[in-house]
Amino acid sequence: MSREVEDHRSHNNSRNMPFGEVVERHLSRRQILQGGLGLAALSMMGGFGLGGSAGARAQDKTPLALAFEAIRGSHTDAVVVPEGYRAQVLIPWGTPLNARASAWQNNLAMTPEQQANSVGMHHDGMHAFPLDADSGSRRFLLALNNEYIDQDALWAPQGGPTQPDGVRPADEVRTEINAHGVTIVEIQRQDDGGWAHVVDSPYNRRITTATPVLLSGPVAGSDYVKTRYSSDGTRTRGTNNNCANGYTPWGTYLTCEENWPEVFVNTGERFSDDARLGLPTDRGRYGWETAAGDDEHDDEFARFDVTPGQGEASEDYRNEARTFGYVVEIDPYSQAVAMKRTALGRFRHEGCWPGPVRAGEPLTFYTGHDSRNEYIYKFVSAARWDPADAPEPGNEADRLAIGSKYLDEGTLYAARFDEEGRGEWLALTPDARTPSGQTLAAALGLEAGDAAGIIIHTCDAADLMGATPMDRPEWSSVDPVSGEVYFTLTNNSKRTEDGTEATFTNGGVAVDAAGVGFATAPTNAANPRANNENGHIIRWREENDNRFSWEIFVFGSDVDAADNRSGLTRDNQFASPDGLWYDDRGDGQGILWFQTDNSDNAVAEYTNDQLLAVVPAALGAGGGSGSVINADNQDQLKRFAVGPNGCEVTGIFATPDRTALFINIQHPGNWPADGDALSQDATQAASGKVRPRAATVAIWKADGGQVGL
Ligand code: FEO
Ligand code: CA
Ligand code: CA
């Protein structure tokens, strides 16, 4: 999500200690840890190994070595990769998925039907699902988020959108709605080492902001989500602003709704959650609601205006926005109706990443709210993991029924990062006791036991329990052996100096008895930099009794900054970390990849957005984890790829054999080079002006070896 489109306001007015202050105070504890407690801390982490194995790092083994030369920063209309690597454009926006869509051409006039049968726009999070147990490195289903749209590119042949600030034509709105959501597409490796999608694969499909979906979990069937479309509150239409993602051990895709509030509008009385989540009060982002009227079917546009009417909730769409803000589960192997898993909370979800999977233990999913001074969450399933619930890849199975077993019942927690590198998970249950001794339900003004109400008001619940406001939580990934969780905190322009007073929206006056979030918040130990424009990556280890220990893994910075806390060099300076993936290579070894979504700072003056790599186990003396990036190990953090001008680099996975790595180029300015080509070299720059198209990029080594090594 580019900074042009993201919501720059802070909607968190609570008084909880901001995360920056927590980090500052933590640094001294980290020094103590390194001075003698490090091994004890490591042995505490042992229980997080896969399958309950010891989980100790391969301390005596030689860590993996990144075997590419870090590339320079660049500002070109091309993808740049290290020498010896190839990079290919794959499934750019508008690529036909089936015979109902005509072939892409640079001057194609997009229509609702064409877009519904083609790859969506602005690729973001993604994940690959093998079609059988053996061939996943040659053939798989790609599930891909299409986060938002570039109206100028979408409507380029007609010179831009019609009346972007007035009444929108119905078919333009339908097309824009169909450009959002999720794409499922079959991908195959070609004999020349390149990649192609399978046109007309029976698996190919789109789930757009219009596709019917089911609500599941605590909110489903509650009064909070009854609408004229679903008077029993069990259904809604579409998923929107699908940013990052997750996946499950039973072979389903999790897609996460991030900046969805902006497609709605409420010109009347607002619910407190509308205000907290930032629903517009004058016009939706693209004015979709203005197309309501004689040209629409079944309130397909009217539903975006959530202004309450005079009658019952089931007679209007006042609750429509309450059917958004969730983690959505999709079975890529079937055409089953997707399900919004409301138990995982309601906010601007960035992504949803599984923790270590161990037989007989609950499953954990980490998820974050990407707004300034908002929170990190985790969901712990009530059901304990049964390996028999993992169907063979591609087998027919009711995967969403398995999802209902693990994702509809459990406990949602918000994180409090304390000083001294400690932290606690705060349960967001109706009966949880707030620091003032009330039940959480009572503190929120809800009836006793109202689990649905807690979910609708997730952010307020986290305020009241004392969660730590963070510097915009983005992606997360877990080292499955150590159990260490990495989380990107991209930046925060509303983080103020230590000692300043926090400010609160609504003047700090609680709405509906709920807590209210921070508008600005002073630094805390875990978010230690005022006006944090470069961001950082935090890492934690779970402990018993809902406790954890944490440290800052790396601080973004330009090389010349006085506040270059991790000692970055020209070869790895970065800012605004966003996408992130712990690429497990087995035996306690792995590569941590992370991507950037940066602009308007000294790093942006040096380079376009980028992909970096580091082997965490290679950082410390003896190869142990627990070491962070510092001035002494700069050669370990390397720039692997740079995107074209104007883009953000996001989305990442590799084939099981690690011979191909896939990333996404979102909102490029003038790329890919050839407007008409189905397949082309991603490293080629256009000779003139092209209609830009977000695309996946497949990267592999010319010699066929593992990427990165
Ligand atoms: Fe869609 Fe927070 O990035
Ligand atoms: Ca993101
Ligand atoms: Ca971002």
Side-chain angles (χ1 to χ4, degrees), residues 294-328:
D294 294 343
D295 289 342
E296 71 176 334
H297 306 296
D298 203 11
D299 305 319
E300 63 184 312
F301 310 127
R303 67 191 176 108
F304 294 106
D305 184 342
V306 300
T307 307
Q310 300 298 316
E312 299 290 312
S314 58
E315 296 167 14
D316 62 32
Y317 288 93
R318 73 188 67 173
N319 288 329
E320 183 76 356
R322 286 175 159 179
T323 70
F324 285 77
Y326 300 109
V327 174
V328 185

Side-chain angles (χ1 to χ4, degrees), residues 249-250 356-365 379-390 402-411 413:
W250 52 95
V357 175
R358 293 173 296 202
E361 297 195 15
L363 297 176
T364 299
F365 292 87
F379 174 80
V380 179
S381 68
R384 293 170 182 273
W385 175 241
D386 177 355
D389 284 333
I402 301 171
S404 296
K405 173 178 172 183
Y406 292 101
L407 298 178
D408 284 348
E409 286 180 44
T411 305
Y413 298 85

Side-chain angles (χ1 to χ4, degrees), residues 39 92 94 124 159 169 220 237 362 377 393 505 519 528 547 577 639 646:
L39 283 178
D124 204 322
R237 279 171 283 189
Y377 298 84
T505 57
R547 303 274 172 170
R639 182 177 300 113

Side-chain angles (χ1 to χ4, degrees), residues 1 124 147 243-244 258-259 350 370 472-474 578 597 648:
M1 171 64 68
D124 204 322
E147 188 184 19
C243 187
E258 189 197 19
N259 289 314
E350 174 78 17
D370 181 8
R472 295 188 51 205
E474 295 255 23
D578 192 338
D597 173 15
E648 141 186 9

